[in-house]
Amino acid sequence: MNFPLVRHRRLRQSAGIRSMVRETVLNVQDLVQPIFVTYGTNIKNEISSMPGVYHFSLDTLKNEVDNIASLGIPAVLLFGIPETKDSMGSSGFAEDGIVQEATRLIKEWYPELLVIADTCLCEFTDHGHCGMVHTFERDGHIHGDVLNDESLELLVQTAVSQAKAGADIIAPSNMMDGFVQAIRGGLDEAGFQNIPIMSYSVKYASAFYGPFREAADSAPQFGDRKTYQMDPANAREALREAESDVLEGADMLMVKPALAYLDIMRMIKDQFDLPLVAYNVSGEYSMVKAAAQQGWINEKAIVQEMLTGMKRAGADIIITYFAKDVAGWINEK
């Protein structure tokens, strides 16, 4: 059967019909809002490369959390900028670390708001890498090898300290081999068997992270992260990474970035039955914001189309700096 008997436009004739047959719907419950917390007092500083995103000190954090909670957003993802850094990232697993302190406050204010703790060392190390580093000089330049197995112990300490502070979900983003197994074992041994792991399973060495490195003050001081984050040209490798995390005990799988990797998201969704998380990263956010500020695009329409595409590709959860905006638009309806 074909035209004129079949007319596909019949189901597009009105807003009511289009809504009735819509296959993919973006909901507030899909969203996670990242927050950057920092030391000091009376700080609410806009990040220059991410308009509308701020650094908050603990004493200014509540207004932001009030806003997030009032919009019905179910979860926040915490990143911390410490006062001091060292080669081990020890402030990342300190009991009075910035993420731990922020977690306690948020759980005191809003016990039902889920706190997801990013579990990495790059914000806390003086070299900016995601694990311990063996450094050496060659040809007049500093080089370094990121030490995989030695880093796992520090990542376990970080995850356990975050769980002790009240984090509801541990989200390790370091891309060390065996990190899920190590963290799962450490959490279980410390009595946190019921704390889920949202693994950054498929994390590419992407150019889309640029603005985040300003936001988190986490740019590597030498070299790059290509020895542990994935090559953007590779797809099948993503399946191997995700399978390892599934076997090691991950509860949720993430693809990061999202926009340029929708094919990867669909592959992971089709292969594994765990909840899938898309990270709509800083570069994706900043591109849209910059174009919108120039009047070149309709920000609201672009953002909703972009995030709907991520959900259509298989995402169950979307981490996005647009979460508050999107929640407001959805609630207006």
Side-chain angles (χ1 to χ4, degrees):
M1 297 286 187
N2 54 18
F3 181 84
L5 183 62
V6 175
R7 292 179 180 267
H8 300 290
R9 290 179 55 190
R10 291 184 187 122
L11 299 184
R12 304 170 192 159
Q13 291 307 300
S14 69
I17 292 175
R18 291 192 298 271
S19 178
M20 180 182 292
V21 301
R22 186 162 293 139
E23 299 173 21
T24 306
V25 179
L26 191 64
N27 297 304
V28 175
Q29 290 298 311
D30 301 329
L31 304 173
V32 176
Q33 175 70 52
I35 301 178
F36 295 96
V37 289
T38 190
Y39 58 91
T41 57
N42 199 32
I43 293 172
K44 181 186 176 183
N45 294 335
E46 189 172 37
I47 298 162
S48 63
S49 58
M50 299 178 69
V53 179
Y54 296 83
H55 290 130
F56 296 96
S57 54
L58 296 177
D59 60 322
T60 63
L61 180 60
K62 190 169 188 301
N63 285 341
E64 175 73 355
V65 179
D66 286 344
N67 188 17
I68 292 167
S70 70
L71 289 165
I73 296 169
V76 296
L77 174 62
L78 284 185
F79 296 99
I81 298 90
E83 186 170 12
T84 60
K85 302 187 179 192
D86 59 32
S87 62
M88 297 176 61
S90 58
S91 56
F93 48 85
E95 183 178 346
D96 60 351
I98 188 68
V99 170
Q100 288 79 357
E101 293 286 8
T103 299
R104 293 186 189 97
L105 287 173
I106 293 171
K107 296 307 293 184
E108 177 184 329
W109 299 330
Y110 293 97
E112 299 306 314
L113 183 64
L114 297 175
V115 173
I116 305 169
D118 179 80
T119 306
C120 197
L121 299 175
C122 60
E123 301 112 291
F124 306 100
T125 55
D126 52 15
H127 47 72
H129 281 282
C130 301
M132 290 184 65
V133 172
H134 167 65
T135 58
F136 56 93
E137 185 174 336
R138 186 174 63 209
D139 303 325
H141 299 284
I142 298 296
H143 299 268
D145 293 326
V146 177
L147 304 174
N148 191 95
D149 297 5
E150 293 85 345
S151 300
L152 294 179
E153 182 179 343
L154 301 181
L155 292 165
V156 170
Q157 291 183 52
T158 303
V160 170
S161 72
Q162 292 167 337
K164 286 181 177 178
D168 298 284
I169 298 171
I170 298 299
S173 60
N174 54 87
M175 288 297 285
M176 297 296 110
D177 288 334
F179 70 93
V180 172
Q181 179 175 299
I183 290 173
R184 182 73 273 158
L187 289 172
D188 289 357
E189 185 177 344
F192 296 106
Q193 296 91 339
N194 293 325
I195 297 292
I197 294 176
M198 176 189 287
S199 174
Y200 286 64
S201 300
V202 182
K203 183 178 180 181
Y204 284 91
S206 172
F208 283 100
Y209 302 149
F212 176 89
R213 291 177 181 168
E214 176 197 349
D217 189 23
S218 63
Q221 297 303 300
F222 53 84
D224 53 41
R225 295 178 177 145
K226 293 180 180 179
T227 65
Y228 46 102
Q229 295 178 0
M230 283 181 53
D231 185 340
N234 291 357
R236 293 191 303 273
E237 184 182 2
L239 294 176
R240 299 198 297 271
E241 286 280 1
E243 182 179 25
S244 292
D245 289 359
V246 171
L247 295 174
E248 291 176 19
D251 300 283
M252 291 173 263
L253 305 176
M254 186 190 300
V255 174
K256 180 183 180 182
L259 190 59
Y261 299 89
L262 298 179
D263 59 324
I264 306 300
M265 290 173 54
R266 174 45 58 190
M267 288 173 58
I268 300 298
K269 186 68 171 181
D270 289 344
Q271 188 73 23
F272 305 102
D273 59 2
L274 293 180
L276 179 62
V277 184
Y279 199 141
N280 176 215
V281 299
S282 60
E284 298 165 0
Y285 174 87
S286 296
M287 288 192 306
V288 172
K289 281 290 184 183
Q293 287 180 346
Q294 292 295 321
W296 295 339
I297 61 171
N298 180 325
E299 179 180 344
K300 179 179 178 181
I302 287 282
V303 171
Q304 292 186 103
E305 183 176 344
M306 184 168 63
L307 299 192
T308 299
M310 294 171 194
K311 190 169 182 184
R312 192 181 64 246
D316 301 291
I317 300 163
I318 302 174
I319 300 169
T320 177
Y321 303 96
F322 289 112
K324 291 184 296 179
D325 294 329
V326 174
W329 299 331
I330 292 172
N331 291 336
E332 285 173 5
K333 295 179 181 179

Tab-separated table of all heavy atoms in Angstrom, residues 36 38 41-47 52-57 59-61 63-64 67 324:
chain	number	residue	atom	x	y	z
A	36	PHE	N	29.384	22.895	40.608
A	36	PHE	CA	30.795	23.070	40.956
A	36	PHE	C	30.873	23.787	42.295
A	36	PHE	O	30.408	24.930	42.428
A	36	PHE	CB	31.512	23.900	39.894
A	36	PHE	CG	31.577	23.219	38.547
A	36	PHE	CD1	30.624	23.500	37.572
A	36	PHE	CD2	32.571	22.300	38.262
A	36	PHE	CE1	30.674	22.876	36.331
A	36	PHE	CE2	32.634	21.676	37.029
A	36	PHE	CZ	31.686	21.957	36.056
A	38	THR	N	33.303	25.119	45.561
A	38	THR	CA	34.673	25.548	45.783
A	38	THR	C	34.846	26.067	47.201
A	38	THR	O	33.874	26.295	47.931
A	38	THR	CB	35.062	26.632	44.756
A	38	THR	OG1	36.463	26.885	44.831
A	38	THR	CG2	34.304	27.935	44.997
A	41	THR	N	34.342	31.851	50.879
A	41	THR	CA	33.026	32.305	51.330
A	41	THR	C	32.493	33.358	50.370
A	41	THR	O	33.245	34.070	49.695
A	41	THR	CB	33.089	32.915	52.749
A	41	THR	OG1	34.035	33.992	52.756
A	41	THR	CG2	33.521	31.875	53.774
A	42	ASN	N	31.161	33.433	50.317
A	42	ASN	CA	30.454	34.437	49.525
A	42	ASN	C	30.849	34.394	48.044
A	42	ASN	O	30.956	35.421	47.383
A	42	ASN	CB	30.688	35.846	50.093
A	42	ASN	CG	29.634	36.830	49.622
A	42	ASN	OD1	28.483	36.467	49.400
A	42	ASN	ND2	30.033	38.075	49.458
A	43	ILE	N	31.043	33.178	47.541
A	43	ILE	CA	31.475	33.026	46.151
A	43	ILE	C	30.318	32.492	45.308
A	43	ILE	O	29.722	31.458	45.610
A	43	ILE	CB	32.683	32.068	46.043
A	43	ILE	CG1	33.909	32.684	46.707
A	43	ILE	CG2	32.981	31.728	44.583
A	43	ILE	CD1	35.081	31.744	46.828
A	44	LYS	N	29.997	33.229	44.269
A	44	LYS	CA	29.151	32.761	43.183
A	44	LYS	C	29.715	33.407	41.923
A	44	LYS	O	29.316	34.497	41.511
A	44	LYS	CB	27.673	33.136	43.385
A	44	LYS	CG	26.783	32.608	42.252
A	44	LYS	CD	25.337	33.086	42.363
A	44	LYS	CE	24.515	32.610	41.159
A	44	LYS	NZ	23.113	33.100	41.190
A	45	ASN	N	30.675	32.719	41.330
A	45	ASN	CA	31.406	33.272	40.198
A	45	ASN	C	31.025	32.539	38.918
A	45	ASN	O	31.154	31.313	38.837
A	45	ASN	CB	32.914	33.147	40.428
A	45	ASN	CG	33.393	34.003	41.590
A	45	ASN	OD1	32.768	35.009	41.929
A	45	ASN	ND2	34.499	33.604	42.190
A	46	GLU	N	30.580	33.288	37.921
A	46	GLU	CA	30.232	32.676	36.646
A	46	GLU	C	31.487	32.189	35.940
A	46	GLU	O	32.519	32.869	35.917
A	46	GLU	CB	29.483	33.666	35.759
A	46	GLU	CG	28.901	33.033	34.507
A	46	GLU	CD	27.991	33.974	33.739
A	46	GLU	OE1	28.302	35.183	33.690
A	46	GLU	OE2	26.963	33.510	33.198
A	47	ILE	N	31.399	30.998	35.362
A	47	ILE	CA	32.505	30.425	34.607
A	47	ILE	C	32.486	31.052	33.225
A	47	ILE	O	31.483	30.957	32.497
A	47	ILE	CB	32.365	28.894	34.541
A	47	ILE	CG1	32.430	28.321	35.974
A	47	ILE	CG2	33.451	28.276	33.667
A	47	ILE	CD1	31.886	26.920	36.088
A	52	GLY	N	26.046	31.136	32.594
A	52	GLY	CA	24.950	30.585	33.379
A	52	GLY	C	25.351	29.476	34.329
A	52	GLY	O	24.508	28.987	35.094
A	53	VAL	N	26.620	29.080	34.300
A	53	VAL	CA	27.140	28.051	35.214
A	53	VAL	C	28.139	28.728	36.155
A	53	VAL	O	28.958	29.545	35.716
A	53	VAL	CB	27.802	26.892	34.454
A	53	VAL	CG1	28.364	25.851	35.416
A	53	VAL	CG2	26.806	26.243	33.492
A	54	TYR	N	28.085	28.370	37.446
A	54	TYR	CA	28.834	29.100	38.460
A	54	TYR	C	29.657	28.172	39.355
A	54	TYR	O	29.337	26.991	39.509
A	54	TYR	CB	27.861	29.891	39.354
A	54	TYR	CG	27.090	30.959	38.624
A	54	TYR	CD1	25.936	30.639	37.915
A	54	TYR	CD2	27.510	32.279	38.647
A	54	TYR	CE1	25.222	31.618	37.229
A	54	TYR	CE2	26.800	33.271	37.973
A	54	TYR	CZ	25.660	32.926	37.266
A	54	TYR	OH	24.958	33.895	36.597
A	55	HIS	N	30.697	28.768	39.946
A	55	HIS	CA	31.338	28.182	41.116
A	55	HIS	C	30.597	28.689	42.356
A	55	HIS	O	30.334	29.892	42.475
A	55	HIS	CB	32.805	28.624	41.223
A	55	HIS	CG	33.693	28.035	40.187
A	55	HIS	ND1	34.561	28.787	39.421
A	55	HIS	CD2	33.860	26.749	39.785
A	55	HIS	CE1	35.227	28.003	38.597
A	55	HIS	NE2	34.823	26.764	38.796
A	56	PHE	N	30.278	27.757	43.273
A	56	PHE	CA	29.602	28.133	44.518
A	56	PHE	C	30.464	27.742	45.709
A	56	PHE	O	30.961	26.613	45.774
A	56	PHE	CB	28.260	27.408	44.643
A	56	PHE	CG	27.250	27.774	43.592
A	56	PHE	CD1	27.091	27.003	42.451
A	56	PHE	CD2	26.444	28.897	43.749
A	56	PHE	CE1	26.157	27.328	41.484
A	56	PHE	CE2	25.503	29.239	42.775
A	56	PHE	CZ	25.367	28.454	41.642
A	57	SER	N	30.634	28.665	46.636
A	57	SER	CA	31.175	28.280	47.933
A	57	SER	C	30.045	27.677	48.757
A	57	SER	O	28.863	27.812	48.422
A	57	SER	CB	31.804	29.478	48.645
A	57	SER	OG	30.887	30.562	48.731
A	59	ASP	N	28.654	28.449	51.460
A	59	ASP	CA	27.667	29.358	52.047
A	59	ASP	C	26.721	29.959	51.014
A	59	ASP	O	25.697	30.548	51.378
A	59	ASP	CB	28.371	30.479	52.827
A	59	ASP	CG	29.303	31.311	51.954
A	59	ASP	OD1	29.972	30.725	51.081
A	59	ASP	OD2	29.361	32.536	52.140
A	60	THR	N	27.026	29.822	49.725
A	60	THR	CA	26.108	30.316	48.684
A	60	THR	C	25.420	29.162	47.953
A	60	THR	O	24.619	29.403	47.036
A	60	THR	CB	26.862	31.177	47.646
A	60	THR	OG1	27.830	30.363	46.968
A	60	THR	CG2	27.551	32.352	48.315
A	61	LEU	N	25.716	27.949	48.350
A	61	LEU	CA	25.229	26.770	47.629
A	61	LEU	C	23.729	26.554	47.785
A	61	LEU	O	23.071	26.056	46.868
A	61	LEU	CB	25.993	25.534	48.122
A	61	LEU	CG	25.654	24.182	47.508
A	61	LEU	CD1	25.905	24.190	46.001
A	61	LEU	CD2	26.483	23.079	48.177
A	63	ASN	N	20.991	28.400	47.801
A	63	ASN	CA	20.061	28.984	46.835
A	63	ASN	C	20.032	28.187	45.540
A	63	ASN	O	18.964	27.992	44.937
A	63	ASN	CB	20.440	30.436	46.551
A	63	ASN	CG	20.074	31.371	47.686
A	63	ASN	OD1	19.235	31.029	48.532
A	63	ASN	ND2	20.686	32.541	47.721
A	64	GLU	N	21.188	27.723	45.108
A	64	GLU	CA	21.245	26.908	43.894
A	64	GLU	C	20.518	25.586	44.086
A	64	GLU	O	19.748	25.147	43.213
A	64	GLU	CB	22.712	26.657	43.516
A	64	GLU	CG	22.926	25.723	42.344
A	64	GLU	CD	22.568	26.339	40.999
A	64	GLU	OE1	22.044	27.481	40.955
A	64	GLU	OE2	22.799	25.677	39.960
A	67	ASN	N	16.762	25.998	44.122
A	67	ASN	CA	16.224	26.157	42.773
A	67	ASN	C	16.106	24.809	42.067
A	67	ASN	O	15.074	24.492	41.463
A	67	ASN	CB	17.143	27.097	41.976
A	67	ASN	CG	16.573	27.478	40.628
A	67	ASN	OD1	15.383	27.329	40.367
A	67	ASN	ND2	17.430	27.967	39.746
A	324	LYS	N	18.356	22.800	34.517
A	324	LYS	CA	17.418	23.756	35.114
A	324	LYS	C	16.563	24.430	34.042
A	324	LYS	O	15.347	24.598	34.224
A	324	LYS	CB	18.175	24.806	35.927
A	324	LYS	CG	18.817	24.278	37.201
A	324	LYS	CD	19.461	25.390	38.008
A	324	LYS	CE	20.615	26.017	37.257
A	324	LYS	NZ	21.252	27.114	38.014
